[in-house]
Amino acid sequence: MSKYSIEKVGLRYGIYAAVAYILFFIIMQIVGLAHFYWLRALNYIFLFSAVFMAIKDYKNTHKDTFAYLNGIGVGVVTSVISCLIFAVFLCIYLQAINPDFMAAIKENEMFGEYLNPYIAAAAILFEGSFSGIATAFILMPYFKKSHADETGQMVP
């Protein structure tokens, strides 16, 4: 793998996003706002930023060979890696570090009686990954290379 392969760029920015999610979660726990579940939506800012920066970084290093699917791939890897890391952290946190928080979630959520740390982590993984994949598809029209040259003629 080269220094700027899809996997390496996605891994780097996925780690950055995961660190941001974890720090945000810890800050919300410290200030006592973690019980406001709608604040999770702010994680999308970190996800969007990481996917945007990953695609931009990859495009800047592959100017001549950058293609639409390369950008999608970078976005997918970034989002899945970031959500996987955060899901593992969340599972450990809910099970070993603060099981009282898991108990509070179970009490206050509609289907809380069916929740456990593994299901909560899986939900975060799937929700975040699909949000990131959608974000990559939304961002790629901004990044894609035009298929026409400066004269307006189609380039193969």
Side-chain angles (χ1 to χ4, degrees), residues 70-127:
N70 296 128
I72 297 294
V74 171
V76 168
V77 172
T78 301
S79 63
V80 170
I81 292 293
S82 70
C83 293
L84 181 63
I85 293 169
F86 184 63
V88 169
F89 163 78
L90 188 67
C91 187
I92 293 168
Y93 183 84
L94 293 173
Q95 189 166 16
I97 298 172
N98 190 356
D100 293 337
F101 189 59
M102 184 74 236
I105 293 171
K106 287 175 106 171
E107 281 180 26
N108 297 319
E109 290 301 312
M110 186 181 333
F111 295 105
E113 63 192 73
Y114 303 108
L115 282 177
N116 63 44
Y118 303 109
I119 293 173
I124 294 295
L125 174 62
F126 289 119
E127 175 186 358

Side-chain angles (χ1 to χ4, degrees), residues 57-79:
D57 187 14
Y58 187 82
K59 181 180 180 182
N60 288 339
T61 57
H62 294 83
K63 287 181 172 77
D64 297 332
T65 60
F66 182 77
Y68 188 84
L69 289 177
N70 296 128
I72 297 294
V74 171
V76 168
V77 172
T78 301
S79 63

